[in-house]
Amino acid sequence: MKVIAGPASQLLACRIAREMGIAPSLVEFRRFPDGEAYTRILDDIEGSVAIIQNTLTDPDFVALLQLIDACSGAEKVNVVIPYMGYARQDRQFKSGEPVSIRAMARAISADSVFTINIHDEDSMQYFGTGATNLNAAPLLGQYIASLKLSDPVLIAPDDGALYLAKSAAGDLGIDFDYLEKTRHSGDTVTVHPRELDVGDRDVVIIDDIISTGGTVAEAAALLKQQGALDVYVAAVHAVLAGNAVLRLFSAGIRDIIATDTIDGGSGCVSIAPLVARALGSL
Ligand code: R5P
């Protein structure tokens, strides 16, 4: 199999290729004078290929479509989208809106597609057959266990992220819980871990995406008020938009633990072994 590194995922693609014991194919990317993207794979397109490219930005998405087309001569085209953008617009919230993830997924034509912790697993239906969503949370859990924190507890900011806390904890013996809102009256709401007391414990807030950091900053403040010691954040996708990093550290976050689905960020946990295993099983 050949590993084709998209412009947004070069580092991860190199790590995946290394795991597979091969060298990544070289690709030329540049822009025409009018701003359009030019893409050329500098390798023979034959056998099976695996294109690694996240779709964080619109140009990233265009590059992915170009690479898929450039691989038309391959026997099998496999696509790995480490961070699948537009996945949070997974329904029509207001009339006139698109289901953006559906529009994006339908445009991706490949023999197999792999995503990593897509925002909602139900969105996988839009890719058609041959699409698999991989779960990087156990890798985050192993890294967290290696930190030797003080009586750690994993806290999901809502029940939607509870599966991440549960699968990160796995059989490592780490407690996990999620934040629940209790409405006491029309305008009084308290937020607290559903079952566990975080007092005098190190806490890791775990979520799929950190974008603006707002969700985690709010959760961190609450957990500190409830007596948590050090508060870390773990995320599969460290989008870290705008001044999210400053916002998190100002909210008292001790450190950011993230995977490398997004190149050039704070990813200290590589998903390369997970992806290489999935590609190797094709
Ligand atoms: C929301 O449903 C997601 O799971 C994340 O909680 C959210 O995307 C985080 O966004 P932000 O960092 O902007 O609060």
Side-chain angles (χ1 to χ4, degrees):
M1 183 178 294
K2 295 200 174 193
V3 169
I4 316 277
S9 297
Q10 293 188 351
L11 178 58
L12 178 59
C14 290
R15 287 176 176 160
I16 292 169
R18 188 179 58 196
E19 285 286 329
M20 297 171 76
I22 54 180
S25 300
L26 290 178
V27 189
E28 180 185 350
F29 302 105
R30 59 182 168 81
R31 291 214 168 260
F32 287 109
D34 62 1
E36 287 184 357
Y38 174 86
T39 301
R40 181 174 172 225
I41 301 168
L42 304 172
D43 200 353
D44 295 332
I45 304 300
E46 55 190 16
S48 284
V49 298
I51 300 167
I52 321 292
Q53 168 74 345
N54 81 44
T55 57
L56 180 64
T57 68
D58 297 353
D60 295 338
F61 195 80
V62 171
L64 175 61
L65 298 184
Q66 288 180 316
L67 287 170
I68 292 172
D69 196 76
C71 288
S72 296
E75 201 177 292
K76 283 226 158 94
V77 179
N78 309 292
V79 170
V80 178
I81 309 171
Y83 172 72
M84 181 67 207
Y86 288 96
R88 284 178 291 176
Q89 179 78 22
D90 56 0
R91 71 185 85 143
Q92 198 182 45
F93 298 97
K94 293 182 187 157
S95 64
E97 288 179 351
V99 177
S100 298
I101 182 62
R102 183 175 61 195
M104 299 299 161
R106 280 178 177 169
I108 295 167
S109 165
D111 294 291
S112 72
V113 175
F114 292 93
T115 56
I116 290 82
N117 294 92
I118 197 165
H119 181 61
D120 186 336
E121 181 92 26
D122 287 349
S123 300
M124 296 310 287
Q125 62 180 302
Y126 301 129
F127 291 97
T129 53
T132 308
N133 187 38
L134 303 173
N135 181 12
L139 295 172
L140 288 171
Q142 284 161 23
Y143 182 86
I144 292 162
S146 75
L147 294 177
K148 306 281 178 249
L149 302 179
S150 175
D151 197 13
V153 55
L154 294 168
I155 299 283
D158 51 43
D159 58 347
L162 181 61
Y163 87 95
L164 289 167
K166 188 174 179 190
S167 53
D171 53 9
L172 297 168
I174 306 176
D175 284 345
F176 61 91
D177 202 352
Y178 71 94
L179 292 180
E180 186 179 58
K181 278 188 188 161
T182 306
R183 185 165 293 282
H184 302 282
S185 66
D187 56 2
T188 322
V189 175
T190 54
V191 179
H192 51 88
R194 187 174 155 79
E195 285 175 1
L196 299 177
D197 183 353
V198 295
D200 293 325
R201 305 181 74 173
D202 284 342
V203 173
V204 182
I205 302 167
I206 185 162
D207 207 352
D208 58 341
I209 303 168
I210 314 172
S211 181
T212 64
T215 306
V216 170
E218 196 182 330
L222 285 163
L223 293 163
K224 286 266 183 190
Q225 278 167 20
Q226 290 163 17
L229 300 175
D230 285 338
V231 178
Y232 294 76
V233 55
V236 178
H237 309 293
V239 173
L240 300 175
N243 62 352
V245 171
L246 278 178
R247 188 174 194 180
L248 291 172
F249 279 81
S250 309
I253 291 291
R254 176 73 195 246
D255 213 347
I256 300 169
I257 301 161
T259 79
D260 57 357
T261 57
I262 297 174
D263 266 18
S266 49
C268 50
V269 177
S270 185
I271 61 159
L274 179 70
V275 175
R277 226 178 7 255
L279 291 172
S281 70
L282 288 174

